Amino acid sequence: STKTLNEVWNVEKILYTIPEVAQILLTNRNKVYRMINEGILGYVDVTGCKRIPKSEVERVTADVKFNSN
């Protein structure tokens, strides 16, 4: 069977793609781009591709406020 880089090298993932962040945040890619453009979500440029550090995803999710109805 095919193994991922993480499985082969036992490396912790520290950068996420836009679609991965959208899935984690239960939203869509457009919303992730909007969060980046509004300065809510930081990113790094990896050879012209936006990548979101794990620490940014954790920071944003820690700021989430839940409604209790």
Side-chain angles (χ1 to χ4, degrees):
S1 69
T2 305
K3 293 187 176 188
T4 65
L5 182 63
N6 290 353
E7 292 169 333
V8 173
W9 293 98
N10 196 23
V11 175
E12 181 183 354
K13 187 167 187 123
I14 59 169
L15 295 175
Y16 293 106
T17 64
I18 300 293
E20 287 173 330
V21 173
Q23 185 176 19
I24 291 167
L25 299 180
L26 303 176
T27 190
N28 59 51
R29 292 171 25 181
N30 290 337
K31 177 64 177 176
V32 175
Y33 280 113
R34 194 173 314 124
M35 292 172 73
I36 290 170
N37 292 335
E38 292 174 1
I40 297 168
L41 189 62
Y43 72 94
V44 295
D45 185 290
V46 179
T47 63
C49 299
K50 288 180 173 63
R51 295 292 183 259
I52 314 301
K54 180 180 179 182
S55 59
E56 278 296 291
V57 175
E58 291 170 342
R59 183 185 60 76
V60 168
T61 55
D63 290 344
V64 171
K65 306 229 180 336
F66 294 96
N67 292 330
S68 57
N69 296 337

